[in-house]
Amino acid sequence: MEESKSATEVHSAGKTGAEDSAESQANEATGEASSQMPNKPTAEAEARYKRMKLFDKVMQKSLNKFIEDVSFNRFASMFRPLYSKNPQRMESIHKQFIEELRGTIQEDINRLIEEGQLELKLNELDKLERATKDSPDPAWRPSGVPEQDFCSFLMPYYQKQEAYMRRELKKIQAENAALAQKVQGGRESISQTEHRISAAVDEWKASVTEFERLASSLCPADVFDV
């Protein structure tokens, strides 16, 4: 009974310290954000500030909820022999563990916000929201049927790809037609060249035949007989 009572008191003290620490961290974050805010913020800047403050509040609440699950009673039950020998030492270890765990998780959250450019993405989301306000078409909402939602998401992409492939096909067909015309023109040119060469050969043969006939008529073979 005394061990259980001591564990409960230690857990309450640890929980109160964790809540105070979380509250101080949230106040520090709010103070830093407030110091960075201009003297006369615009409505848009004030909305962004409130949104980031709300996001920080939600994350701190989730973090506190997670830390509460790592209660001292549960922690001590895992190390019952050590707790029985030295409850104060176990309390110190649990407190240090909670501080390290909270600090590590908070660092991971800050790193994700920085690397993921959360504020920039939220600003882009605001731009998309403002753009949809001027659009007469109704905003997309899930139908509750995953297959239909998935198809409605992929169909515009596939239609764009199909239109792109059709344009490329027409371009290739036009290039092939131009190449076919060039090939046909080359074939006609070759045919004409062959015809001219054949005509030139025929003329040359005719000239040779005519020359031989004239030579034989001017110089009979019997004149050179001895």
Side-chain angles (χ1 to χ4, degrees), residues 11-12 56 61 64 87 89 91 124 138 152 168 175 191 195 204 219:
H11 169 60
S12 300
D56 182 71
K61 186 175 181 180
N64 293 334
R89 180 60 177 171
E91 178 185 357
E124 292 179 356
S152 64
E168 290 297 318
E175 292 177 355
S191 178
H195 181 70
W204 179 75
C219 301

Side-chain angles (χ1 to χ4, degrees), residues 46-201:
E46 185 176 358
R48 292 177 181 176
Y49 167 73
K50 290 182 178 179
R51 179 175 57 194
M52 293 303 298
K53 186 177 180 180
L54 177 61
F55 175 81
D56 182 71
K57 183 178 180 180
V58 171
M59 295 304 297
Q60 290 299 327
K61 186 175 181 180
S62 300
L63 180 57
N64 293 334
K65 182 66 175 177
F66 176 77
I67 294 298
E68 287 178 1
D69 291 337
V70 192
S71 63
F72 179 76
N73 290 335
R74 184 176 298 178
F75 187 80
S77 64
M78 300 297 296
F79 305 96
R80 179 62 61 180
L82 181 60
Y83 171 74
S84 300
K85 292 181 180 180
N86 195 340
Q88 289 77 15
R89 180 60 177 171
M90 178 61 65
E91 178 185 357
S92 177
I93 293 174
H94 178 260
K95 184 177 180 180
Q96 184 178 0
F97 171 74
I98 292 297
E99 291 177 355
E100 293 290 337
L101 180 62
R102 181 184 295 276
T104 302
I105 295 176
Q106 188 63 49
E107 289 179 0
D108 290 340
I109 293 174
N110 295 336
R111 189 183 303 110
L112 288 173
I113 293 174
E114 181 179 358
E115 293 179 356
Q117 300 179 347
L118 177 64
E119 188 172 0
L120 178 61
K121 299 301 182 183
L122 291 176
N123 294 338
E124 292 179 356
L125 183 62
D126 289 340
K127 293 180 181 179
L128 292 174
E129 185 178 359
R130 288 193 298 268
T132 55
K133 288 182 179 179
D134 300 332
S135 177
D137 298 330
W140 181 86
R141 293 291 183 273
S143 63
V145 183
E147 292 80 5
Q148 295 181 2
D149 296 337
F150 191 68
C151 290
S152 64
F153 176 76
L154 288 180
M155 281 302 296
Y157 171 77
Y158 286 135
Q159 289 175 352
K160 291 181 180 179
Q161 291 296 318
E162 183 180 4
Y164 171 76
M165 295 300 294
R166 289 183 182 278
R167 289 194 301 269
E168 290 297 318
L169 179 60
K170 289 182 179 180
K171 186 186 298 184
I172 293 173
Q173 289 176 345
E175 292 177 355
N176 290 340
L179 289 174
Q181 290 179 357
K182 290 182 179 180
V183 171
Q184 184 63 28
R187 288 177 178 176
E188 292 178 357
S189 177
I190 292 173
S191 178
Q192 293 176 1
T193 302
E194 290 178 349
H195 181 70
R196 288 196 296 269
I197 292 173
S198 178
V201 169

Side-chain angles (χ1 to χ4, degrees), residues 3-19:
E3 291 180 358
S4 177
K5 182 178 181 181
S6 176
T8 304
E9 292 176 354
V10 171
H11 169 60
S12 300
K15 181 177 179 182
T16 304
E19 291 177 351

Side-chain angles (χ1 to χ4, degrees), residues 212-226:
E212 290 177 350
R213 187 182 63 78
L214 292 174
S216 61
S217 63
L218 293 176
C219 301
D222 55 356
V223 174
F224 298 99
D225 293 339
V226 180

